Amino acid sequence: MTLAILAWRTLLRQPARAVLGVFGVAAVAALLFDMLLLAGGLATSFRDLLDSTGFDVRVTATEALPGMGPYLEGVRDLVADIDELDHVADVAAVALGTIAARGSEDQDAISLPIQGYLGTVRGGWKVLEGDDLPREPASSGTVVINRAAAEQLDLDPGDELLLGGLKIRDRWSAPPQRCRITGIVEFVFEQGHTPSAAMDLDTMEGLAGRKPDRAAFLMVSSAPASADIETVQAIRDRFPNLHAYSNAQYVQQFQAHDFSYFRQIAVVISTLTVFFTFLLLTALLTVSVNQRLGEVAGLRALGFRRRRIVAMLMWETAVTVVVGLVLAVAVGAALAVVLDGILHDMPGLPDRLHFFVYRHGVLVRFVGLILGTGLLSLVYPAWIAARLPIAATLRKEITT
Amino acid sequence: MSRPVVEARGLTKIFPMPSGAVTALQEVDLLLDPGESVAITGPSGCGKSTLLHLLGCVDTPTSGQVLIDGVDVAGLNDAARSRLRLTTIGFVFQRFFLLPMLTAGENVDLPQLEAGAIRRDCRRRTLELLDYVGLADRVGHRPSQLSGGEMQRVAIARALANRPRIVLADEPTGELDEVTGEQIAALLHRVHLDGTTVLIATHDRNLASSAHRRLVLGGRDHRLHEPGVDR
């Protein structure tokens, strides 16, 4: 009869209490699991989105986020100059704008956000239908749109998209410009059912009727032999007025400011869940020990050493915690999907950005925290069982 | 001359209470030779159980000495005392204290496995012991499926599991009816006849009369006396 079997039998003796204990641990631990997913989930997801574009460095005019601050001027020369740096493999400039768009002349216009690319056009989207934008310079006059834009304007690849123009009382005061749709795409930072489009910068500037030669930010990919941080330093050295950040630095900035709320909430709730797990297990084990003090005293009188009694309790805790842990991971994973869906309904969030993200090490941290809490919760009941006065307890058992 | 199994020298036990200290035992001396059977009688609360607890190393005296096989137990740490209880002393309690989630056989296995017995040898010994106490057919039964007398038989089998030098039985018939009590008394008598030293604390006259020697505890002096001795 091993102590593990003895502990298992002890738990089965009060199946309802054992099941309640396991469910209690599972419920609280599931919440802890979710909070660990949340603590760094947003940053991880954001980093994945940034990395998925294929560029590892962003360059802006100021410390403001791309698109939120002043534009970079003289962007064509800037792209050419950065492209010449040894650490750089590729550069793309991205301009952002919004324009009125129609599928046909008699259709009402919708407001269509547009990204204009200069340089390497890739990574910002995935082609779902049709073709990508052709390579420069043949891309002029072509556009890719997302599924939302295609559905709202009732357009397919090969159709023409009417952009800009001014229509007064059913008559064009200034005619729109026509762009051929090469494909339907999904943008990396796509937001719900918001229509969106991308084209090259020349086409975009052509729509405005002028060439301001500006871009919101640059995306740079490091040469194979260069680390992103080296590329950042090279750009900073060459262009001290510009602000260059690697994806990791960019995410760090976000974590320190914009994402800090989620981290703080996760830390507070994690702490509470660990505390509740501790209270729950301590209460369960203490009640369990107190209910069988006579048996424990009997075992001690028969010659069981203190540490064997503690080991038996440890096995009981381990069984409760381990079964609870397995359930917690399953419940936590399901709950994370639901909670992620709820948080995802917040406006302005990219579809592919997630709050609850599994990362390397989360499971180890989770198991470590719960097992550590289990061990801690064992201290008081184990102390009761190990230090109980054998004779006094036996006497008390007889007289009650 | 063989060494006494148990020797108590000047044992005193005083329980500190909020309302004042209560003396349970006062300068008690006792010598138990191998193979002896002794019954300690006396009214409830006279200190019989306290004496057994001190002799069984589950409590410490306020003053005095307990020697088991010539070893002063005061010098032993908790682990050594546990080992002594496991291998040298067999306890039989009034309330049996069988583990309810284990079968009769497993309850008898338990102290043997704790002492490091090999599982196969342990099972063989358990079956022998359950046969010895007349419960060979109840090996797989849980305590809840046994009567009070049967539970006490299992408890006696458990006490004998590690071939102890002495069995300490504290009111072993206290929870049983008269007929069942007589059966347990007969069983303990048989244990004694088979060579194990038995010390019984009881106020059951039948059980006490089955012992080889009878001592009375109690009175104003809280000491052990031969029956009939004026105190």
Side-chain angles (χ1 to χ4, degrees):
Chain A
M1 172 82 39
T2 63
L3 287 179
I5 293 172
L6 202 56
W8 177 249
R9 296 269 191 91
T10 304
L11 285 172
L12 289 185
R13 207 169 135 189
Q14 299 265 2
R17 185 169 65 195
V19 168
L20 282 174
V22 166
F23 280 0
V25 170
V28 186
L31 197 55
L32 175 65
F33 184 61
D34 283 353
M35 289 307 111
L36 292 176
L37 294 181
L38 177 65
L42 201 52
T44 304
S45 181
F46 187 55
R47 174 71 193 266
D48 288 345
L49 280 186
L50 291 175
D51 288 346
S52 71
T53 60
F55 296 95
D56 53 0
V57 174
R58 259 73 175 168
V59 181
T60 49
T62 66
E63 284 188 345
L65 297 174
M68 308 294 281
Y71 268 41
L72 294 157
E73 304 290 343
V75 73
R76 284 176 172 78
D77 288 344
L78 191 57
V79 165
D81 289 346
I82 290 178
D83 205 16
E84 284 179 3
L85 294 174
D86 290 341
H87 293 289
V88 173
D90 252 332
V91 189
V94 183
L96 303 172
T98 303
I99 195 164
R102 290 177 172 81
S104 61
E105 289 193 2
D106 54 355
Q107 207 177 41
D108 288 334
I110 64 165
S111 181
L112 183 67
I114 293 182
Q115 303 167 29
Y117 278 79
L118 173 70
T120 303
V121 179
R122 63 170 165 82
W125 59 79
K126 183 174 77 182
V127 177
L128 301 176
E129 203 179 315
D131 298 316
D132 204 348
L133 288 175
R135 294 279 175 189
E136 286 185 295
S139 64
S140 186
T142 57
V143 64
V144 288
I145 59 173
N146 69 353
R147 183 74 71 194
E151 285 174 2
Q152 287 182 35
L153 298 170
D154 193 22
L155 293 170
D156 291 310
D159 290 344
E160 282 193 331
L161 178 65
L162 308 183
L163 296 169
L166 180 63
K167 201 175 192 182
I168 301 172
R169 290 185 186 170
D170 295 336
R171 291 189 60 184
W172 288 106
S173 170
Q177 297 197 35
R178 294 170 186 273
C179 286
R180 187 174 59 83
I181 298 166
T182 60
I184 310 294
V185 300
E186 182 189 30
F187 291 101
V188 168
F189 287 91
E190 191 154 311
Q191 298 169 16
H193 296 291
T194 307
S196 195
M199 56 185 54
D200 69 19
L201 188 62
D202 287 337
T203 307
M204 190 175 174
E205 289 178 335
L207 294 171
R210 55 195 171 90
K211 277 212 163 190
D213 196 22
R214 302 191 313 174
F217 59 96
L218 304 183
M219 298 193 296
V220 179
S221 63
S222 302
S226 300
D228 54 359
I229 202 74
E230 292 172 327
T231 311
V232 166
Q233 198 53 51
I235 294 170
R236 285 179 182 172
D237 291 345
R238 176 74 175 79
F239 305 97
N241 294 333
L242 298 183
H243 291 262
Y245 297 102
S246 69
N247 288 351
Q249 290 170 327
Y250 200 28
V251 170
Q252 269 176 4
Q253 272 194 318
F254 261 93
Q255 258 192 311
H257 304 105
D258 304 70
F259 295 167
S260 65
Y261 305 111
F262 295 104
R263 270 181 79 89
Q264 287 168 24
I265 288 171
V267 167
V268 170
I269 297 181
S270 297
T271 309
L272 283 176
T273 53
V274 167
F275 186 59
F276 284 142
T277 308
F278 169 76
L279 287 182
L280 176 73
L281 284 172
T282 302
L284 278 173
L285 288 168
T286 305
V287 168
S288 170
V289 167
N290 280 331
Q291 278 183 344
R292 50 199 170 98
L293 287 178
E295 277 172 36
V296 174
L299 285 174
R300 293 277 290 126
L302 290 176
F304 273 66
R305 279 172 298 166
R306 283 185 175 131
R307 69 175 185 198
R308 299 282 288 167
I309 301 288
V310 171
M312 199 169 78
L313 284 176
M314 205 180 271
W315 272 108
E316 281 180 49
T317 314
V319 171
T320 307
V321 166
V322 169
V323 178
L325 270 180
V326 173
L327 278 177
V329 171
V331 173
L335 190 65
V337 172
V338 174
L339 292 175
D340 199 67
I342 292 170
L343 286 173
H344 220 277
D345 285 343
M346 285 199 294
L349 289 177
D351 292 351
R352 285 170 60 187
L353 189 69
H354 295 285
F355 291 82
F356 297 84
V357 180
Y358 180 77
R359 304 173 307 285
H360 181 68
V362 163
L363 197 60
V364 173
R365 208 174 314 151
F366 170 65
V367 171
L369 270 172
I370 293 293
L371 289 184
T373 308
L375 272 179
L376 212 61
S377 65
L378 190 65
V379 171
Y380 179 60
W383 182 82
I384 294 176
R387 308 301 306 182
L388 104 168
I390 306 170
T393 309
L394 291 173
R395 244 190 328 268
K396 203 171 168 186
E397 286 291 314
I398 301 298
T399 54
T400 52
Chain B
M1 189 178 149
S2 59
R3 190 165 57 191
V5 179
V6 172
E7 188 177 354
R9 293 180 189 158
L11 274 190
T12 297
K13 182 70 180 177
I14 300 169
F15 292 104
M17 298 284 181
S19 54
V22 174
T23 302
L25 299 172
Q26 181 78 49
E27 297 287 335
V28 171
D29 295 317
L30 178 65
L31 237 153
L32 287 177
D33 288 323
E36 247 195 316
S37 166
V38 177
I40 296 174
T41 60
S44 292
C46 68
K48 300 188 295 290
S49 294
T50 302
L51 179 59
L52 254 66
H53 290 158
L54 293 176
L55 300 178
C57 308
V58 294
D59 204 355
T60 50
T62 308
S63 65
Q65 264 183 314
V66 174
L67 289 88
I68 308 283
D69 265 346
V71 177
D72 184 354
V73 297
L76 303 178
N77 62 17
D78 185 73
R81 280 168 173 250
S82 297
R83 188 76 197 165
L84 189 72
R85 289 195 296 268
L86 188 66
T87 56
T88 311
I89 302 167
F91 261 108
V92 178
F93 309 102
Q94 182 178 340
R95 290 225 170 144
F96 327 128
F97 291 126
L98 297 177
L99 294 185
M101 65 283 193
L102 303 185
T103 63
E106 288 167 340
N107 266 289
V108 181
D109 285 343
L110 207 57
Q112 298 174 70
L113 294 173
E114 183 66 11
I118 298 166
R119 192 169 293 273
R120 197 182 48 199
D121 297 345
C122 157
R123 199 17 75 137
R124 193 185 311 128
R125 170 85 177 144
T126 294
L127 294 175
E128 275 172 21
L129 284 168
L130 286 176
D131 186 44
Y132 180 79
V133 299
L135 292 174
D137 55 340
R138 312 301 293 269
V139 181
H141 289 218
R142 296 252 169 118
S144 58
Q145 297 165 316
L146 302 174
S147 68
E150 288 170 332
M151 281 196 270
Q152 196 59 295
R153 283 163 185 270
V154 175
I156 291 169
R158 180 181 63 182
L160 296 170
N162 286 329
R163 297 183 171 83
R165 298 263 287 137
I166 182 169
V167 168
L168 301 175
D170 187 8
E171 298 284 8
T173 58
E175 299 273 312
L176 308 173
D177 60 56
E178 196 175 339
V179 175
T180 314
E182 281 171 9
Q183 292 169 351
I184 294 300
L187 181 57
L188 286 171
H189 186 59
R190 188 178 160 199
V191 169
H192 158 238
L193 291 178
D194 288 338
T196 307
T197 308
V198 177
L199 177 63
I200 305 166
T202 183
H203 51 244
D204 179 339
R205 281 165 190 253
N206 287 331
L207 181 59
S209 64
S210 70
H212 179 239
R213 182 152 66 106
R214 195 177 148 209
L215 296 169
V216 179
L217 184 66
R220 282 189 298 271
D221 63 357
H222 306 289
R223 293 179 186 218
L224 272 176
H225 300 273
E226 296 293 330
V229 174
D230 184 24
R231 39 178 203 268

